[in-house]
Amino acid sequence: MGYYKSRGLRGSAFEELINLTNDKYKEQGLACIEKIPTPVKVTKINNEKRLIEEGYFEKKSSVDYIGLVQGYAVCFDAKETALDNFPLKNIHEHQLKFMQAFVTQGGKAFILVHFTKKDEMFLLPSELLFNYYEMSKNGGAKSIPYSAFNPMLRIYRKSGYYVHYLEALGTYLESFSTVRMI
Amino acid sequence: MGYYKSRGLRGSAFEELINLTNDKYKEQGLACIEKIPTPVKVTKINNEKRLIEEGYFEKKSSVDYIGLVQGYAVCFDAKETALDNFPLKNIHEHQLKFMQAFVTQGGKAFILVHFTKKDEMFLLPSELLFNYYEMSKNGGAKSIPYSAFNPMLRIYRKSGYYVHYLEALGTYLESFSTVRMI
């Protein structure tokens, strides 16, 4: 099975639930989050039919989601793992770099992680991700163990909010906040 | 000439200069701005070659650019006009709605406008855009006159920064600011 299909199958259900949640957040005025599509390089186009006849997916330079939550700028990725840990190879170096640049500018970056076997979801702060990434480069473990995920940052489903991450985000912001509404 | 080509020709040079400017801003740690690609709906794919064989452009639900500038969340679109005014039909209703949602969450939204005949660029605040849009719906003019563009928000080129909008943005933020670093 090829690249696109396997990608599609891997990420889509979780992402779709996040998209539905974001739609509801927007509807309720709770957040304004945009899903960044994977860019397509078009190499052949039928202008009359407005149809792309040839193209390919380009590497995304950033993360999956970016936006604003009540004055807080956030960006995040959504990842699933069938293991009992979170393999760092799930996050690409250009995504880490983007998150670091975003944090430097005063934003908050994180990963929404779904452990599919347990069916548990967590918010993984970028600070923790950066630490584990650095350690892995210096010979440390190549994954983040389940035990490192903070139960306070666990994400639950709630009446129509399939991945209701705003509660966990609130907890995260309280402990690490740098940007505030005035 | 069809949709894609004409779109490409219309927006590309100005957008390309903005992209180069954003790259330099990121390099210098001045801003972290992401260009949101137009989403493509793929209807046929060759998995072995990783090649899209059929697809079409979907309508973008938001704006062209989104990101962070030193603690300020911003989103903006880039538009060119060959006229002596800025026709409101250049901005679609779903873009206005996105900008309004973004502003409600504490962000700043604006348009970078290039008057091609004069070769002058301006930052157009969303507040002004919203006002003109409302007026147009109530029988007012269908465009924003050149005279309504604030000379204080004019954008200049500067050594490698082809569309150096951060200065105009600074002026804009000083006069309308609602979100600040602490």
Side-chain angles (χ1 to χ4, degrees):
Chain A
M1 194 155 50
Y3 178 67
Y4 175 72
K5 226 169 194 161
S6 58
R7 258 177 63 95
L9 289 174
R10 226 192 314 139
S12 64
F14 188 41
E15 284 187 2
E16 196 45 54
L17 294 177
I18 292 171
N19 296 343
L20 289 169
T21 306
N22 284 337
D23 288 348
K24 195 144 187 200
Y25 284 159
K26 190 180 259 179
E27 208 183 285
Q28 302 288 318
L30 294 172
C32 177
I33 306 289
E34 184 64 9
K35 170 118 173 63
I36 303 180
T38 304
V40 166
K41 176 78 185 170
V42 174
T43 45
K44 207 168 137 196
I45 190 146
N46 182 324
N47 277 312
E48 274 166 38
K49 292 188 188 166
R50 297 184 176 188
L51 198 71
I52 296 163
E53 293 186 333
E54 197 186 274
Y56 53 89
F57 286 103
E58 292 185 296
K59 221 190 212 169
K60 200 185 283 185
S61 63
S62 63
V63 292
D64 287 337
Y65 298 92
I66 190 166
L68 258 179
V69 182
Q70 299 156 50
Y72 295 93
V74 300
C75 76
F76 60 97
D77 235 73
K79 297 287 178 191
E80 288 190 294
T81 173
L83 305 173
D84 291 324
N85 58 56
F86 180 73
L88 289 166
K89 67 167 195 260
N90 272 344
I91 306 291
H92 301 291
E93 185 138 11
H94 63 270
Q95 295 182 305
L96 276 176
K97 278 195 180 152
F98 183 87
M99 286 193 266
Q100 273 162 334
F102 196 82
V103 168
T104 303
Q105 294 297 324
K108 299 304 287 178
F110 51 90
I111 314 280
L112 300 184
V113 178
H114 182 209
F115 288 96
T116 54
K117 263 199 303 189
K118 297 175 196 284
D119 195 16
E120 289 183 9
M121 305 179 287
F122 291 89
L123 187 153
L124 173 68
S126 53
E127 292 85 351
L128 199 73
L129 177 66
F130 297 156
N131 283 348
Y132 271 93
Y133 192 79
E134 275 309 307
M135 289 193 290
S136 81
K137 286 209 296 190
N138 298 316
K142 303 295 178 214
S143 63
I144 305 178
Y146 173 78
S147 59
F149 285 78
N150 188 340
M152 298 285 290
L153 300 181
R154 188 160 163 200
I155 295 163
Y156 297 93
R157 295 175 178 80
K158 219 169 199 175
S159 59
Y161 300 100
Y162 297 101
V163 186
H164 187 29
Y165 62 88
L166 281 197
E167 279 184 353
L169 179 60
T171 308
Y172 174 41
L173 290 171
E174 275 169 35
S175 40
F176 293 93
S177 177
T178 53
V179 182
R180 284 206 176 278
M181 285 287 281
I182 53 163
Chain B
M1 195 157 47
Y3 178 68
Y4 176 71
K5 227 170 196 163
S6 57
R7 258 176 65 95
L9 288 175
R10 225 189 318 138
S12 64
F14 188 42
E15 283 189 2
E16 195 45 52
L17 294 177
I18 293 171
N19 296 344
L20 289 170
T21 306
N22 284 337
D23 287 348
K24 197 145 184 198
Y25 285 159
K26 190 179 260 178
E27 209 182 286
Q28 300 290 318
L30 295 171
C32 177
I33 306 287
E34 184 64 10
K35 170 118 172 65
I36 302 180
T38 304
V40 166
K41 176 77 185 170
V42 174
T43 46
K44 207 169 135 194
I45 190 147
N46 182 325
N47 276 312
E48 274 166 38
K49 292 188 191 167
R50 296 181 176 189
L51 198 72
I52 295 164
E53 294 187 332
E54 197 186 276
Y56 54 89
F57 286 104
E58 292 185 297
K59 221 191 211 168
K60 201 185 280 185
S61 63
S62 64
V63 291
D64 286 337
Y65 297 92
I66 191 166
L68 258 180
V69 183
Q70 299 156 50
Y72 295 94
V74 300
C75 77
F76 60 97
D77 235 71
K79 296 286 177 193
E80 288 191 294
T81 173
L83 305 173
D84 290 325
N85 57 56
F86 179 72
L88 288 167
K89 67 167 195 263
N90 272 344
I91 305 290
H92 301 290
E93 185 137 13
H94 62 269
Q95 294 182 305
L96 277 175
K97 278 197 180 152
F98 183 87
M99 285 193 267
Q100 273 163 333
F102 197 82
V103 169
T104 302
Q105 294 297 325
K108 301 303 289 179
F110 52 89
I111 314 280
L112 301 185
V113 177
H114 183 210
F115 288 98
T116 53
K117 263 200 301 191
K118 296 176 196 283
D119 195 17
E120 289 183 8
M121 305 179 287
F122 291 91
L123 186 153
L124 174 69
S126 54
E127 292 85 351
L128 199 74
L129 177 68
F130 297 156
N131 283 349
Y132 271 93
Y133 192 80
E134 275 309 306
M135 288 192 292
S136 81
K137 285 209 298 191
N138 298 316
K142 304 294 180 217
S143 64
I144 306 177
Y146 173 78
S147 60
F149 284 78
N150 188 339
M152 298 285 290
L153 299 180
R154 188 160 163 202
I155 295 163
Y156 297 92
R157 294 176 180 79
K158 219 169 201 175
S159 58
Y161 299 100
Y162 297 101
V163 187
H164 188 29
Y165 62 88
L166 281 198
E167 279 183 353
L169 179 61
T171 307
Y172 174 41
L173 290 171
E174 275 169 33
S175 41
F176 293 93
S177 177
T178 53
V179 181
R180 282 204 180 279
M181 283 288 281
I182 53 163

